[in-house]
Amino acid sequence: MSIPIYILKRILQAIPLLVIISIISFAAIKFSPVDPLAELKMNPAISPETLQAEKERLGLDLPIHSQYVRWAGNFIKGDLGISTSGEKVAGRLMERIPNTLLLTTVVILITWLVAIPLGIYAALNWKSRIDRILTIVSSMGMAVPSFFFALLLLIFAVKTGWFPIGGLTSAGFESFNPVRKVLDIAHHLVLPVVVLTTISLAGLQRQMRANLLDVLESDYVKMARAKGLPENAVIYKHAVRNAVNPLVTLLGFEFAALLNGAALTEFVLQYPGLGRLILEAVIKSDINLVMASLMISAMMLIIGNLIADILLKLVDPRVSLG
Amino acid sequence: MKIKKYIKYLIWTGIIFLILSNILHVDKPEMPETIKTQALSQNAEVKYPGDFKTIEINGREYIQARGEVGKYGGTLNNSTIGEGPKTFNPWNAKDATSSQMSELMFDGLVTTDAYTGQVIPLLAKSVEVDKTGTIYTVKLRKGLKWSDGKPINAEDVVFTWNKIIAGGFGNTSARDNTLIDGKMPEVKALDKLTVQFITPKPFAPFLRQLTQSIAPKHILEPVANKGKTAFDSFWGVTTEPDKFVTSGKFKLQRYIPAQRVEFIRNTDYYAIDKKGQKLPYLDKYIFYIVGDINNQVLKFESKQIDTLALSGSNVARFKELEKHSDYKIYNLGPDTSTMFLSFNLNKRKNTDGKYYVDPAKQRWFNDKNFRKAVNLAIDRENAVLNILRGVGSPLYTAESLSSVFLNENLKNGEPGNIDKAKNLLKQSGFTWNNKGKLLDNKGNIVEFNIITNAGNTEREALGVMIKEDLEKLGIKINFKPIEFNVLVGKLSDSLEWEAVIIGLTGSPLEPHSGRNVWSSTGALHLFNQRKKHDLQNATDLSEWEKELDEIFEKGALAIEFKERKKYYDRYQEIVWEYNPFIYIYSNLTIVAVRNNFGNITPTTLGGVLHNLEEIYVKE
């Protein structure tokens, strides 16, 4: 099957999937006992008329299925609705998307650029001292929960005063020159990037090492060596190329994670990203906002998988699409 | 050989550990967790600095500040917990953060004196109320200007009241609070700078409603004419800062979502210092948006913010560190929050013909002696010490301790007294079985549920404490923290609950704001909530509920403070005697502020920043 037709087919398959996802998530939120008006109800200054007006504005007086139909109709038209506080959901998401994209791209870039070479190095120097140290460090990285690591770094930042607590820019950012702007953002990014890379780096490095070790044991590598190819050609042309295959699939998932953010880390470190927004929205049962983010996540996952499959085809001609 | 290697490892680990422990130097372990109230003695030296003066310079009537002369420049970094503002439109603000920030930009006709709680003029030069208590004549200052240079005049006031507030634009609570017998006051301009408000009846709380921000008619009239949706989204958080036309001391400079809100000085504000220099002194005023209280504390410790409200064990820790630090801690006295225990006094049936409350329990809860006994069994001092770590005071009255209407005779309540409590229970026919369990006169074991919202550690701890206190009377409590939303559902909708621990925030200046709670028709009449159909011809009002209804009606009609005080003193007596709510404690407001600011004179009513325009950065 040629690639464009394959893409079309996958997109068509995705539509019923998205409908099902949206129904399940909508129902799950609606059946949770969270009332977006609870706080207003406990406020002595709010009159019953105001409460009723709020109810109507948010459509809470309608039965659940008509609420869903109303939401779905708007969603198809590209209108994500308004949040409980009355702002456009699309606007709120757009405020945060660039921040989250910045963080996740930096994290993914650093992770991949560091993890792959480290994995290769560890595999080639199997059981050497450096391999052992890397094993210990990466086991620690995988074992430490992200929020806990973030907390440790926060204490570090407070005690030393070397890094700012939370945010992405300093006050007066707009009047900085471009170089200082970049440095300022980089300064704010250090803590969240360190937390998130440490955690994903460990896994990726281990995976690369294990894959390469497997491949290095295989017959065709032995064959290549026996043939008398230079060691570099054996490793980079034959072994690494085969070992990287499973990681391409992982890359697809990474793409899906681009906009998911890392809610816990963002929350602990007060990073102004999407994850924190969604977490707050879930707590407040801000249905339009939660639905929009869930749908975006679902679509990103589907697209990520599609990209991974196509990349796999390009990297490995043995794979057939269908 | 091998041993040498291990020793090397050990030494390295030791060195790394030392470096880390130095960097992450932990506070001394003997740091106190609770604090004696004496250590936090209230700042007694808050002296009333005298009235504001109006000074006329070049045809403009300025307000003259009362503090010392400072110097220009600098930034004050504040913070706000939560998601940040939702709008900068003060007439549409529905949450505290949005109101606080938008009201920085838009002044009202009057404001509240932070020292005395009296209503004092702001945009207005004077407010006069006639003898009938229905005609308010407001004179505006001469030479007031919007930030676009247009004059502020009577037309703006009339527009704000007749179109925005009476028209129900944005947040309607201003209208709900001003409706008198369903009617809005009549507002008209007498001349360019004079406005007259005529209320249908004398209505004391109206004067404080004049604090409502005044809107620029020339900007907002076209918007309001487009309808409510257009008005609600006007001046939202995505508006360019230079689009705002404001009257307040600060103006929005930049809003960066989830990070901070930056305000810049209004260079043409109508306040001056004693030397005649224009206020405010500060160049910038910044709010950092922080997710939770822990992050706020961290931001203060790392010196990114200049002021911090403290609570619980943090107070003792910061107080201990104060000596070696660059901040000072101020005790502003009890705040306006109240924590209480309430019983469901509802004796009605729901639409399915089932009692909301089990009839046996109804009898206990509706027994005045039973409620009083519970009141006497609760050890408030203990609660303040253990739950609030000393940062609070016992509360006995329905008005908060900082209220200007506080009933002084009841302020200190009555100390806990188990014997008296047991006597009261005996009088009502309660007895004890051989296991010490309390029985009612029909032999039922007294046992009921107390609910509160889960996740609020303070209320959870209080529940456990009350459970232990009531065990001394032989009462068995099943304490059940539940989700906040479920709790609200029970209290306001299903009405199936027995006892609850909850808190409400009141106004320290205007008891009438509590009418939703105290009047029998109120939407928050928690202890005996009536549904719409119950209200049509309610015959089951108790005598004291009737009296409360009457008090809240008459208290609003009386104009003189003394006369009003009599009514509201009586309402606190009734609540004390009949215990629909059993008040337990109020938190203290404790604030830390960095030393490098001048003119910091915190007050109970105004907080730290009530005189923001006068605050300046010292050398």
Side-chain angles (χ1 to χ4, degrees), chain B residues 89-127:
Chain B
N89 178 340
W91 306 279
N92 188 34
K94 291 177 183 124
D95 60 288
T97 308
S98 306
S99 304
Q100 183 190 11
M101 293 189 186
S102 49
E103 281 162 16
L104 261 181
M105 296 197 279
F106 297 92
D107 280 351
L109 290 173
V110 298
T111 186
T112 305
D113 190 291
Y115 297 88
T116 62
Q118 295 300 313
V119 172
I120 51 170
L122 195 64
L123 284 178
K125 186 171 65 176
S126 65
V127 179

Side-chain angles (χ1 to χ4, degrees), chain A residues 11 30-31 49 53 70-71 77 93 96 100 102 144 147-148 150 163 166 178 185 253-254 282 286-287 304:
Chain A
I11 291 176
K30 277 290 158 189
F31 288 127
E49 292 77 32
R70 198 166 98 159
W71 171 83
K77 280 185 247 155
L93 292 176
R96 307 295 184 92
T100 293
L102 176 67
V144 177
F147 75 92
F148 180 69
F163 298 105
I185 291 184
F253 287 118
E254 295 263 10
V282 171
D286 196 336
I287 186 141

Side-chain angles (χ1 to χ4, degrees), chain A residues 237-255:
Chain A
K237 240 182 147 173
H238 296 278
V240 171
R241 210 172 153 184
N242 278 298
V244 99
N245 263 2
L247 297 182
V248 171
T249 319
L250 269 185
L251 193 64
F253 287 118
E254 295 263 10
F255 181 79

Side-chain angles (χ1 to χ4, degrees), chain B residues 345-380:
Chain B
L345 306 184
N346 199 328
K347 288 194 275 191
R348 289 174 295 278
K349 290 178 184 172
N350 62 19
T351 40
D352 300 336
K354 245 181 71 191
Y355 282 110
Y356 291 114
V357 184
D358 175 32
K361 292 175 179 172
Q362 278 179 27
R363 280 202 312 279
W364 316 331
F365 298 159
N366 278 288
D367 182 340
K368 177 186 157 193
N369 286 340
F370 178 83
R371 298 195 302 267
K372 183 80 186 174
V374 170
N375 187 342
L376 286 167
I378 292 174
D379 188 347
R380 292 171 169 85

Side-chain angles (χ1 to χ4, degrees), chain A residues 121-123 125-136 205-206 209:
Chain A
Y121 183 88
N125 299 280
W126 189 47
K127 283 195 170 170
S128 71
R129 182 179 293 188
I130 294 186
D131 179 34
R132 274 162 212 255
I133 293 177
L134 280 176
T135 305
I136 295 173
Q205 192 263 123
R206 298 298 293 167
R209 174 178 175 271

Side-chain angles (χ1 to χ4, degrees), chain A residues 44 47 165 168-170 270, chain B residues 86 176 259-260 291 299 485 516:
Chain A
S47 69
I165 313 283
L168 186 59
T169 54
S170 307
Q270 296 292 299
Chain B
K86 312 243 158 62
D176 298 343
Q259 296 195 59
R260 63 185 177 273
K299 263 199 150 34
N485 295 279
N516 243 335

Side-chain angles (χ1 to χ4, degrees), chain A residues 261-276:
Chain A
L264 269 182
T265 311
E266 283 184 2
F267 198 81
V268 175
L269 292 174
Q270 296 292 299
Y271 185 84
L274 212 51
R276 196 174 136 200

Side-chain angles (χ1 to χ4, degrees), chain B residues 433 540 588:
Chain B
N433 67 11
D540 58 348
L588 291 180

